[in-house]
Amino acid sequence: MNTTGIQTGPGTESGLLDQFGRRATDLRISLTDKCNLRCTYCMPAEGLDWLAKDAQLSAAEIRRLVRIGVDTLGVRELRLTGGEPLVRADLVNIIAGLRADHPDLPISMTTNGVGLAKKAAALKAAGLSRLNVSMDTLHEETFKQLTRRPFLDQVLAGIDAAAAAGLTPLKINAVLMRDINDHDGVDLLTWALERGYELRFIEQMPLDADHGWTRKDMVTAAEIREHLSTKYVLSVDPRARDGAPAERFEVRSPSSEAVLGIVGIIASVTEPFCSDCRRTRITAEGKVMSCLFSREEVDLRTLLRSTDDDGAIAQRWQEAMWAKPKAHGMGHTGLGDADFVQPDRSMSAIGG
Ligand code: SAM
Ligand code: SF4
């Protein structure tokens, strides 16, 4: 027990432990809630009520939180996300500051790739380790339908620039939507294999701002595997999964033993991996979310702005993680389960 009466485990040396014995070592920080796309599975067409600039964590506050996470709470890797991190004007400075503090920390970023072509080299020079770029289709019209914006060319140019800058291994994230891009998986995989990128499919989760998700429309991991198997042979990657959300598969053509590359499938809904979750998330306004589907949020911004005591911030963060739910509650039947309520925040407002 600590002075607040909340049991958080034995102390800072225990890191971000929860009551089910999981320890979060993978920190995801959202740099902004704003975005220049309107993906239908994430944002409404009109956007959201964006945070005011001073409500958002500053570069110095982000740097301080990461220092606390790494130096005292056992954080071992960092992912920058959003909203769209590239829309943050001080992004390169944020990365340079984090890299100066933590020369060996793996720092990755998830981006939609819009505007990436101009910034990739600067991101690499500032110390970014690698990138995930989200791209759900190679077809301009489908891209426009999914993201409500005509920017596929920019995304493709951004991916090329990221590879040229050495932001590798480069991963491509794709969400498949029924009757929209559910037949694009094979083309995406062929394109990624030809370029040496690791494609990862993410099952659509009920985190859209429009609350339009339905289980019947969700393309499942099993369907994705079946679809990819129309052209390729998939076999489970023998390397240990080691807490990774994606189940990885070696990809071969039916006529050869040679491994062409790896594809990952993140089956958050139908094959959840909550029991091995190592993630802790901080929203753009400084709230800890112990789980993507958490309805509890713990504010760190007030402490960041009112005390020099890093120990108090570490303790509040630990308390938030101690209360991490055992699982997201979708079970195997999904939305409609008695114990599952879709969170108010959409993916962009959490930091995916
Ligand atoms: N804007 C950046 C991007 O799109 O890569 C970073 C933030 S975005 C919220 C992070 C990832 O979450 C993206 O790969 C996106 O496809 C995924 N995502 C968003 N909404 C989702 C949903 N409802 N279900 C599954 N994945 C989702
Ligand atoms: Fe923006 Fe990323 Fe959400 Fe698409 S998934 S609307 S790019 S935050």
Side-chain angles (χ1 to χ4, degrees):
M1 301 278 258
N2 58 42
T3 50
T4 63
I6 298 171
Q7 191 180 347
T8 62
T12 37
E13 72 279 5
S14 68
L16 295 169
L17 185 69
D18 70 40
Q19 55 194 309
F20 303 102
R22 296 165 298 186
R23 202 179 299 276
T25 52
D26 173 357
L27 168 58
R28 305 196 167 200
I29 294 196
S30 171
L31 299 186
T32 175
D33 59 333
K34 298 181 191 60
C35 188
N36 41 17
L37 297 185
R38 296 285 181 274
C39 305
T40 53
Y41 49 73
C42 180
M43 281 232 191
E46 65 280 11
L48 294 165
D49 290 334
W50 311 126
L51 289 171
K53 192 159 182 231
D54 64 349
Q56 209 171 253
L57 295 184
S58 67
E61 288 165 346
I62 290 167
R63 208 166 154 174
R64 184 174 171 202
L65 275 182
V66 175
R67 235 182 277 130
I68 294 169
V70 172
D71 294 349
T72 65
L73 294 175
V75 166
R76 292 292 163 259
E77 55 185 299
L78 174 65
R79 174 169 297 276
L80 307 175
T81 182
E84 176 44 49
L86 286 175
V87 305
R88 202 162 154 152
D90 55 354
L91 174 64
V92 170
N93 288 341
I94 291 175
I95 293 170
L98 294 169
R99 180 53 73 213
D101 290 346
H102 311 284
D104 301 320
L105 182 70
I107 305 177
S108 57
M109 187 171 93
T110 305
T111 172
N112 63 29
V114 175
L116 177 60
K118 278 189 258 132
K119 294 186 186 156
L123 295 172
K124 175 72 182 175
L128 188 66
S129 314
R130 50 176 205 83
L131 267 187
N132 284 34
V133 183
S134 304
M135 188 181 70
D136 306 321
T137 178
L138 290 161
H139 302 289
E140 179 64 54
E141 276 312 307
T142 314
F143 185 92
K144 232 192 281 179
Q145 187 184 357
L146 266 171
T147 67
R148 305 182 175 110
R149 296 289 185 272
F151 296 151
L152 177 62
D153 286 352
Q154 279 205 51
V155 178
L156 289 166
I159 292 171
D160 285 348
L167 289 164
T168 50
L170 197 59
K171 295 187 181 171
I172 308 294
N173 291 358
V175 175
L176 296 183
M177 302 277 284
R178 193 167 306 286
D179 298 331
I180 300 176
N181 64 336
D182 51 349
H183 289 97
D184 288 358
V186 166
D187 285 353
L188 276 168
L189 181 54
T190 303
W191 173 91
L193 291 170
E194 284 169 1
R195 289 160 181 79
Y197 307 148
E198 184 174 322
L199 179 64
R200 295 139 44 97
F201 293 98
I202 310 173
E203 271 182 349
Q204 188 202 354
M205 293 178 270
L207 290 171
D208 56 314
D210 291 330
H211 287 223
W213 184 95
T214 63
R215 170 163 284 262
K216 105 181 137 37
D217 285 335
M218 187 198 73
V219 180
T220 65
E223 287 176 278
I224 296 168
R225 289 191 292 264
E226 198 181 312
H227 170 53
L228 299 180
S229 301
T230 57
K231 174 155 180 186
Y232 295 106
V233 177
L234 305 188
S235 48
V236 174
D237 186 338
R239 286 172 294 177
R241 192 158 164 181
D242 201 24
E247 181 169 25
R248 301 166 90 236
F249 297 88
E250 292 177 337
V251 185
R252 293 178 173 81
S253 87
S255 57
S256 160
E257 279 301 299
V259 177
L260 302 173
I262 298 288
V263 67
I265 303 183
I266 304 181
S268 324
V269 179
T270 61
E271 298 158 23
F273 36 86
C274 304
S275 62
D276 202 18
C277 180
R278 299 177 192 179
R279 244 140 260 122
T280 181
R281 291 186 152 81
I282 304 217
T283 67
E285 76 269 51
K287 297 200 168 148
V288 181
M289 294 206 46
S290 61
C291 169
L292 267 179
F293 295 91
S294 183
R295 300 184 66 78
E296 307 299 324
E297 303 176 356
V298 174
D299 174 41
L300 296 184
R301 189 185 63 195
T302 306
L303 280 178
L304 279 166
R305 294 183 182 177
S306 61
T307 177
D308 292 333
D309 180 2
D310 286 353
I313 294 171
Q315 183 178 321
R316 178 75 56 85
W317 194 344
Q318 283 189 296
E319 288 164 3
M321 291 307 295
W322 182 253
K324 182 178 172 98
K326 186 174 183 189
H328 57 42
M330 279 185 281
H332 289 284
T333 53
L335 200 60
D337 282 9
D339 58 347
F340 182 73
V341 183
Q342 178 165 350
D344 297 329
R345 279 179 186 266
S346 61
M347 190 67 141
S348 63
I350 301 168

Coordinates of all heavy atoms in Angstrom, one line a residue, residues 213-260:
W213 N -19.5 0.5 -35.7 CA -18.9 -0.9 -35.8 C -20.0 -1.9 -35.5 O -20.8 -1.8 -34.6 CB -17.8 -1.0 -34.7 CG -17.0 -2.2 -34.7 CD1 -15.8 -2.4 -35.3 CD2 -17.3 -3.4 -34.0 NE1 -15.4 -3.7 -35.0 CE2 -16.3 -4.3 -34.2 CE3 -18.4 -3.9 -33.2 CZ2 -16.2 -5.6 -33.7 CZ3 -18.3 -5.2 -32.6 CH2 -17.3 -6.0 -32.9
T214 N -20.0 -3.0 -36.3 CA -20.8 -4.1 -36.0 C -19.9 -5.4 -36.3 O -19.0 -5.4 -37.2 CB -22.0 -4.3 -36.9 OG1 -21.6 -4.5 -38.2 CG2 -22.9 -3.1 -36.8
R215 N -20.1 -6.4 -35.5 CA -19.3 -7.6 -35.6 C -19.5 -8.2 -37.0 O -18.6 -8.7 -37.6 CB -19.7 -8.6 -34.5 CG -19.1 -10.0 -34.7 CD -19.2 -10.8 -33.4 NE -18.2 -10.3 -32.5 CZ -17.0 -10.9 -32.4 NH1 -16.7 -12.0 -33.1 NH2 -16.1 -10.4 -31.5
K216 N -20.7 -8.1 -37.5 CA -21.0 -8.8 -38.8 C -20.2 -8.2 -39.9 O -19.8 -8.8 -40.9 CB -22.5 -9.0 -39.0 CG -23.1 -8.1 -40.0 CD -24.6 -8.3 -40.1 CE -25.4 -7.0 -40.2 NZ -24.8 -5.9 -41.0
D217 N -20.0 -6.8 -39.8 CA -19.2 -6.1 -40.9 C -17.7 -6.2 -40.7 O -17.0 -5.8 -41.5 CB -19.6 -4.7 -40.9 CG -21.0 -4.5 -41.5 OD1 -21.4 -5.4 -42.3 OD2 -21.7 -3.5 -41.2
M218 N -17.3 -6.7 -39.5 CA -15.9 -6.7 -39.2 C -15.2 -7.9 -40.0 O -15.7 -9.0 -40.0 CB -15.6 -6.9 -37.7 CG -14.2 -6.8 -37.4 SD -13.9 -7.5 -35.7 CE -14.0 -9.2 -36.1
V219 N -14.1 -7.6 -40.7 CA -13.4 -8.7 -41.4 C -12.5 -9.3 -40.4 O -11.6 -8.6 -39.8 CB -12.6 -8.1 -42.6 CG1 -11.8 -9.2 -43.3 CG2 -13.5 -7.3 -43.5
T220 N -12.7 -10.6 -40.1 CA -11.9 -11.3 -39.0 C -10.6 -11.7 -39.5 O -10.3 -11.9 -40.7 CB -12.7 -12.5 -38.6 OG1 -12.8 -13.5 -39.7 CG2 -14.1 -12.2 -38.1
A221 N -9.7 -12.0 -38.5 CA -8.4 -12.5 -38.8 C -8.5 -13.8 -39.6 O -7.7 -14.0 -40.6 CB -7.6 -12.8 -37.5
A222 N -9.4 -14.7 -39.3 CA -9.6 -15.9 -40.0 C -9.9 -15.7 -41.5 O -9.4 -16.3 -42.4 CB -10.7 -16.8 -39.4
E223 N -10.8 -14.7 -41.7 CA -11.1 -14.3 -43.1 C -9.9 -13.8 -43.9 O -9.7 -14.0 -45.1 CB -12.2 -13.3 -43.2 CG -13.6 -13.8 -42.8 CD -14.6 -12.7 -42.8 OE1 -14.7 -12.0 -41.8 OE2 -15.3 -12.5 -43.8
I224 N -9.1 -13.0 -43.2 CA -7.9 -12.4 -43.8 C -6.9 -13.5 -44.2 O -6.4 -13.5 -45.3 CB -7.3 -11.3 -42.8 CG1 -8.2 -10.2 -42.6 CG2 -5.9 -10.8 -43.4 CD1 -7.8 -9.2 -41.4
R225 N -6.7 -14.4 -43.3 CA -5.8 -15.6 -43.6 C -6.3 -16.3 -44.8 O -5.6 -16.7 -45.7 CB -5.7 -16.5 -42.4 CG -4.9 -15.9 -41.2 CD -4.6 -16.9 -40.1 NE -5.7 -17.4 -39.4 CZ -6.1 -17.0 -38.2 NH1 -5.5 -16.0 -37.6 NH2 -7.2 -17.5 -37.7
E226 N -7.6 -16.5 -44.8 CA -8.2 -17.3 -45.9 C -8.0 -16.5 -47.3 O -7.7 -17.1 -48.3 CB -9.7 -17.5 -45.6 CG -10.4 -18.6 -46.4 CD -11.9 -18.6 -46.0 OE1 -12.2 -18.6 -44.8 OE2 -12.7 -18.6 -47.0
H227 N -8.3 -15.2 -47.2 CA -8.1 -14.4 -48.4 C -6.7 -14.4 -48.9 O -6.4 -14.6 -50.1 CB -8.6 -13.0 -48.0 CG -8.3 -11.9 -49.1 ND1 -8.7 -12.0 -50.4 CD2 -7.6 -10.7 -49.0 CE1 -8.3 -11.0 -51.1 NE2 -7.6 -10.2 -50.2
L228 N -5.7 -14.3 -48.0 CA -4.3 -14.2 -48.4 C -3.9 -15.6 -49.0 O -3.0 -15.7 -49.8 CB -3.4 -13.8 -47.2 CG -3.7 -12.5 -46.6 CD1 -2.7 -12.2 -45.5 CD2 -3.5 -11.3 -47.7
S229 N -4.5 -16.7 -48.4 CA -4.2 -18.0 -48.9 C -4.6 -18.3 -50.3 O -4.3 -19.4 -50.9 CB -4.8 -19.0 -47.9 OG -4.3 -18.8 -46.6
T230 N -5.4 -17.4 -50.9 CA -5.8 -17.7 -52.3 C -4.6 -17.5 -53.2 O -4.6 -18.0 -54.3 CB -6.9 -16.7 -52.8 OG1 -6.5 -15.3 -52.6 CG2 -8.2 -16.9 -52.0
K231 N -3.6 -16.8 -52.7 CA -2.4 -16.6 -53.6 C -1.1 -17.1 -52.9 O -0.2 -17.5 -53.6 CB -2.2 -15.1 -53.9 CG -0.9 -14.8 -54.7 CD -1.0 -13.6 -55.5 CE 0.4 -13.4 -56.2 NZ 0.4 -12.2 -57.0
Y232 N -1.1 -17.0 -51.6 CA 0.2 -17.4 -50.8 C 0.0 -18.5 -49.8 O -1.2 -18.8 -49.4 CB 0.7 -16.1 -50.1 CG 1.1 -15.0 -51.0 CD1 0.3 -13.9 -51.1 CD2 2.3 -15.1 -51.7 CE1 0.7 -12.8 -52.0 CE2 2.7 -14.0 -52.6 CZ 1.8 -12.9 -52.7 OH 2.2 -11.9 -53.6
V233 N 1.1 -19.1 -49.4 CA 1.0 -20.1 -48.3 C 1.6 -19.4 -47.1 O 2.7 -18.9 -47.1 CB 1.9 -21.3 -48.7 CG1 1.9 -22.3 -47.5 CG2 1.4 -22.0 -50.0
L234 N 0.7 -19.4 -46.0 CA 1.2 -18.8 -44.8 C 1.5 -19.8 -43.8 O 0.7 -20.8 -43.6 CB 0.0 -17.9 -44.2 CG -0.6 -16.8 -45.0 CD1 -1.6 -16.0 -44.2 CD2 0.4 -15.9 -45.7
S235 N 2.6 -19.7 -43.0 CA 2.9 -20.6 -41.9 C 3.4 -19.7 -40.7 O 4.1 -18.8 -40.9 CB 3.9 -21.7 -42.3 OG 5.0 -21.1 -42.9
V236 N 2.9 -20.1 -39.5 CA 3.3 -19.3 -38.4 C 4.8 -19.1 -38.2 O 5.5 -20.1 -38.3 CB 2.7 -20.0 -37.1 CG1 3.1 -19.2 -35.8 CG2 1.1 -20.0 -37.2
D237 N 5.2 -17.9 -38.0 CA 6.6 -17.6 -37.9 C 7.1 -18.3 -36.6 O 6.5 -18.1 -35.5 CB 6.7 -16.1 -37.7 CG 8.2 -15.6 -37.7 OD1 9.1 -16.4 -37.3 OD2 8.4 -14.4 -37.9
P238 N 8.2 -19.1 -36.8 CA 8.6 -19.9 -35.6 C 9.2 -19.1 -34.5 O 9.4 -19.5 -33.4 CB 9.6 -20.9 -36.2 CG 10.0 -20.3 -37.5 CD 8.9 -19.5 -38.0
R239 N 9.6 -17.8 -34.8 CA 10.2 -17.0 -33.8 C 9.1 -16.6 -32.7 O 7.9 -16.5 -33.0 CB 10.7 -15.7 -34.4 CG 12.0 -15.9 -35.1 CD 12.4 -14.6 -35.9 NE 11.5 -14.3 -36.9 CZ 11.5 -13.2 -37.7 NH1 12.5 -12.4 -37.5 NH2 10.7 -13.0 -38.6
A240 N 9.6 -16.5 -31.4 CA 8.7 -16.2 -30.3 C 7.9 -14.9 -30.5 O 8.5 -14.0 -31.1 CB 9.4 -16.2 -29.0
R241 N 6.6 -14.9 -30.2 CA 5.8 -13.7 -30.3 C 6.2 -12.6 -29.4 O 6.1 -11.4 -29.7 CB 4.3 -14.1 -30.2 CG 3.4 -13.0 -30.6 CD 2.0 -13.7 -30.9 NE 1.0 -12.7 -30.9 CZ -0.3 -12.9 -31.2 NH1 -0.7 -14.2 -31.3 NH2 -1.2 -12.0 -31.2
D242 N 6.6 -13.0 -28.2 CA 7.2 -12.1 -27.2 C 6.4 -10.8 -26.9 O 6.9 -9.7 -27.0 CB 8.6 -11.7 -27.7 CG 9.5 -11.2 -26.6 OD1 9.2 -11.5 -25.4 OD2 10.4 -10.4 -26.8
G243 N 5.1 -11.0 -26.7 CA 4.2 -9.9 -26.3 C 3.8 -9.0 -27.5 O 3.0 -8.1 -27.3
A244 N 4.2 -9.4 -28.7 CA 3.8 -8.6 -29.9 C 2.3 -8.7 -30.2 O 1.8 -9.9 -30.1 CB 4.6 -8.9 -31.1
P245 N 1.6 -7.7 -30.5 CA 0.1 -7.8 -30.8 C -0.1 -8.6 -32.1 O -1.1 -9.2 -32.2 CB -0.4 -6.4 -30.9 CG 0.9 -5.5 -31.2 CD 2.0 -6.3 -30.5
A246 N 0.8 -8.6 -33.0 CA 0.6 -9.2 -34.3 C 1.1 -10.7 -34.2 O 2.1 -11.0 -33.8 CB 1.4 -8.5 -35.4
E247 N 0.2 -11.6 -34.7 CA 0.7 -12.9 -35.0 C 1.3 -12.9 -36.4 O 0.8 -12.4 -37.3 CB -0.5 -13.9 -35.0 CG 0.0 -15.3 -35.3 CD -1.0 -16.4 -35.0 OE1 -2.2 -16.2 -35.1 OE2 -0.6 -17.6 -34.7
R248 N 2.6 -13.3 -36.4 CA 3.4 -13.2 -37.7 C 3.4 -14.5 -38.4 O 3.5 -15.6 -37.8 CB 4.8 -12.7 -37.4 CG 4.7 -11.4 -36.6 CD 6.1 -11.0 -36.0 NE 6.9 -10.3 -36.9 CZ 8.1 -10.6 -37.2 NH1 8.7 -11.7 -36.8 NH2 8.9 -9.9 -38.0
F249 N 3.3 -14.4 -39.8 CA 3.3 -15.5 -40.6 C 4.4 -15.4 -41.7 O 4.6 -14.3 -42.2 CB 2.0 -15.7 -41.4 CG 0.8 -15.9 -40.4 CD1 0.1 -14.8 -39.9 CD2 0.4 -17.2 -40.1 CE1 -0.9 -15.0 -39.0 CE2 -0.7 -17.4 -39.3 CZ -1.3 -16.3 -38.7
E250 N 5.1 -16.5 -41.9 CA 6.0 -16.5 -43.1 C 5.2 -16.7 -44.3 O 4.2 -17.4 -44.3 CB 7.0 -17.7 -43.0 CG 8.0 -17.5 -41.8 CD 8.9 -18.7 -41.7 OE1 8.5 -19.8 -42.1 OE2 10.0 -18.5 -41.1
V251 N 5.6 -16.0 -45.4 CA 4.8 -16.0 -46.6 C 5.6 -16.7 -47.7 O 6.8 -16.3 -47.9 CB 4.4 -14.6 -47.1 CG1 3.5 -14.6 -48.3 CG2 3.8 -13.8 -46.0
R252 N 5.0 -17.7 -48.4 CA 5.7 -18.4 -49.5 C 4.7 -18.4 -50.6 O 3.5 -18.4 -50.5 CB 6.0 -19.8 -49.1 CG 7.1 -19.9 -48.0 CD 7.4 -21.4 -47.7 NE 8.5 -21.5 -46.8 CZ 8.4 -21.4 -45.4 NH1 7.3 -21.1 -44.9 NH2 9.5 -21.5 -44.7
S253 N 5.3 -18.6 -51.8 CA 4.4 -18.9 -53.0 C 4.1 -20.4 -53.0 O 5.0 -21.2 -52.4 CB 5.0 -18.4 -54.3 OG 5.8 -19.4 -54.8
P254 N 3.0 -20.9 -53.5 CA 2.7 -22.3 -53.5 C 3.8 -23.2 -54.2 O 3.9 -24.3 -53.9 CB 1.4 -22.5 -54.2 CG 0.8 -21.1 -54.2 CD 2.0 -20.1 -54.2
S255 N 4.6 -22.5 -55.1 CA 5.5 -23.3 -55.9 C 7.0 -23.3 -55.4 O 7.8 -23.8 -56.0 CB 5.5 -22.7 -57.3 OG 5.9 -21.4 -57.2
S256 N 7.2 -22.7 -54.2 CA 8.6 -22.6 -53.8 C 8.7 -22.6 -52.2 O 7.7 -22.2 -51.5 CB 9.2 -21.3 -54.3 OG 10.3 -21.0 -53.5
E257 N 9.8 -23.1 -51.7 CA 10.0 -23.2 -50.3 C 10.6 -21.8 -49.7 O 10.6 -21.6 -48.5 CB 11.0 -24.3 -49.9 CG 10.5 -25.7 -49.9 CD 9.4 -25.8 -48.8 OE1 9.6 -25.6 -47.6 OE2 8.2 -26.0 -49.2
A258 N 11.0 -20.9 -50.7 CA 11.6 -19.7 -50.2 C 10.6 -18.8 -49.5 O 9.5 -18.6 -49.9 CB 12.2 -19.0 -51.4
V259 N 11.1 -18.2 -48.4 CA 10.2 -17.3 -47.6 C 10.3 -15.9 -48.3 O 11.4 -15.3 -48.5 CB 10.7 -17.1 -46.2 CG1 9.8 -16.1 -45.4 CG2 10.6 -18.5 -45.5
L260 N 9.1 -15.4 -48.8 CA 9.1 -14.1 -49.5 C 9.1 -13.0 -48.6 O 9.4 -11.8 -48.9 CB 7.9 -14.1 -50.4 CG 7.7 -15.2 -51.4 CD1 6.4 -15.1 -52.1 CD2 8.9 -15.1 -52.4

